Amino acid sequence: ASSSVNPAGPRSPRVTQDDEERELLEALRKHRELSPVLAATETSLSVARADAMLRGLAEGGHLEARVRGGGISYA
């Protein structure tokens, strides 16, 4: 008889875009200003995903982009 057990273990719940945004906004609330790297360390997002999301929120007028010492942060 074949087993239907997944050898990789149980599936982890799928993270939705809403979950990612909630994580990012929670980190922003905690720190008041985030760089993509800080956002990645505070959430499950990669630096690239955090950067894209923060940039999108700034382009939509929801965050302010700030340039300091060659890096961009968002508040």
Side-chain angles (χ1 to χ4, degrees):
S2 66
S3 173
S4 62
V5 175
N6 181 351
R11 282 188 168 172
S12 61
R14 196 168 175 152
V15 177
T16 67
Q17 190 170 353
D18 285 345
D19 294 334
E20 289 179 338
E21 188 170 293
R22 193 173 298 112
E23 274 189 276
L24 188 64
L25 294 175
E26 194 62 35
L28 187 60
R29 185 174 65 81
K30 178 180 174 185
H31 292 280
R32 301 177 78 62
E33 187 171 328
L34 286 178
S35 68
V37 171
L38 180 57
T41 62
E42 292 287 318
T43 67
S44 64
L45 302 172
S46 67
V47 173
R49 181 71 178 132
D51 183 46
M53 290 180 70
L54 289 165
R55 193 175 329 113
L57 287 167
E59 288 170 358
H62 304 289
L63 294 177
E64 176 184 303
R66 299 176 177 174
V67 179
R68 288 201 189 126
I72 297 177
S73 62
Y74 299 88

